[in-house]
Amino acid sequence: MAEHEETLVEKVAEEIQGDASSSSSDSDDDKPFHADALKSKVYRLFGREKPIHHVLGAGKPADVFLWRDKKISAGVLGGATALWILFEMLEYHLITLLCHTLILSLAILFLWSNASTFINKSPPNIPEVVLPEKCVLEVASALRIEVNRALDVVRDIASGNDLKKFLGVIVGLWALSLVGNCCNFLTLFYIVFVLLHTVPVFYEIYEDQVDSFSEKAIIEIKKQYAAFDEKVLSKIPKGPLKEKKKD
């Protein structure tokens, strides 16, 4: 009888230990899930869910913008800076540069091809460059899609369907006009090029701090816009297209 009671107690103890171990394992399995859920709740700029490298395309341009290879990134940025100095500071013209470069290249290749028989060296191997039809069609198709998308956005804004988007575009164009008064197109292009090589890499380094600050800023902007919408925008009569959609 005593032995039967001991075995019964041992079985109960084993079952209790099994339940405890299973519950602990379940809690351990739940930890990554809770960690992922908590990580997904962290605010990211523009609502993105992927790293900045994937947002930029996860290819060679993204590697250049994020300085994965410092020599290549520095060379690209240095070349762009040299071109900007050449055209903007020294007032060298693009057509003149292209013509002089072609004259020099053609002269070197022509002299090399004719002098190769006298100096006992092989003539230059000039590759045949042909644009593939498929590549040109793909670029044209992609460009057509983007142009049509831009035209749809312009039409939607001009139709008065989205006042918020209309105000955003107006403010953006006005800011761009102010920048255009301060610098020409080449300088503006160079500024954008430099920003592409500096802002993403700094954002990747200080990602958490920037996201935290931008979250607070966006919350404040939404509060101010809600107040402006209540006091001003809500009192503006709606467009005819918007009223038809409601009907």
Side-chain angles (χ1 to χ4, degrees):
M1 186 69 179
E3 292 179 357
H4 179 69
E5 291 178 353
E6 289 178 357
T7 56
L8 184 61
V9 171
E10 289 177 357
K11 288 182 180 180
V12 172
E14 289 177 357
E15 290 180 359
I16 294 173
Q17 289 178 356
D19 294 338
S21 62
S22 63
S23 62
S24 63
S25 62
D26 292 339
S27 63
D28 292 338
D29 294 336
D30 291 341
K31 284 181 180 179
F33 174 76
H34 290 305
D36 294 338
L38 183 62
K39 188 175 181 180
S40 63
K41 292 181 180 179
V42 176
Y43 176 83
R44 293 302 179 192
L45 194 61
F46 304 118
R48 62 180 182 81
E49 297 178 356
K50 297 180 180 180
I52 188 66
H53 187 265
H54 289 275
V55 174
L56 294 175
K60 291 184 178 180
D63 294 337
V64 174
F65 293 147
L66 296 175
W67 293 72
R68 294 290 190 263
D69 191 334
K70 295 182 179 179
K71 291 182 179 180
I72 295 177
S73 299
V76 172
L77 187 59
T81 304
L83 289 176
W84 179 77
I85 293 175
L86 186 66
F87 291 131
E88 187 67 22
M89 306 297 292
L90 301 180
E91 296 182 355
Y92 208 74
H93 298 287
L94 177 62
I95 297 178
T96 305
L97 177 64
L98 291 177
C99 291
H100 288 175
T101 303
L102 287 174
I103 289 171
L104 182 62
S105 301
L106 291 174
I108 292 174
L109 292 174
F110 181 82
L111 293 175
W112 187 1
S113 299
N114 287 276
S116 59
T117 56
F118 299 100
I119 59 178
N120 296 324
K121 288 188 177 182
S122 60
N125 185 16
I126 304 174
E128 183 180 0
V129 180
V130 178
L131 289 177
E133 183 180 359
K134 183 179 178 181
C135 180
V136 175
L137 292 177
E138 288 178 354
V139 172
S141 178
L143 182 61
R144 180 185 64 83
I145 293 173
E146 295 299 327
V147 170
N148 289 335
R149 187 179 301 173
L151 292 175
D152 288 339
V153 172
V154 172
R155 181 180 178 278
D156 185 59
I157 294 173
S159 299
N161 295 330
D162 194 339
L163 183 59
K164 183 179 179 180
K165 187 183 294 185
F166 169 75
L167 293 176
V169 171
I170 293 299
V171 172
L173 292 175
W174 177 73
L176 187 61
S177 67
L178 293 179
V179 175
N181 288 330
C182 300
C183 56
N184 55 19
F185 178 76
L186 180 61
T187 302
L188 181 61
F189 180 81
Y190 175 70
I191 291 173
V192 173
F193 192 81
V194 172
L195 290 177
L196 285 174
H197 282 78
T198 53
V199 173
V201 65
F202 279 109
Y203 174 72
E204 189 180 39
I205 296 173
Y206 303 103
E207 182 177 4
D208 295 334
Q209 295 87 335
V210 173
D211 288 339
S212 177
F213 176 79
S214 61
E215 181 180 13
K216 297 177 182 178
I218 289 176
I219 291 174
E220 184 63 28
I221 291 173
K222 287 182 178 179
K223 290 181 180 179
Q224 298 297 330
Y225 177 78
F228 180 72
D229 186 22
E230 182 180 359
K231 295 179 180 179
V232 179
L233 299 182
S234 60
K235 298 179 181 179
I236 299 176
K238 305 297 182 182
L241 293 179
K242 198 166 184 179
E243 292 177 357
K244 289 182 181 179
K245 286 186 177 181
K246 288 184 178 180
D247 296 338

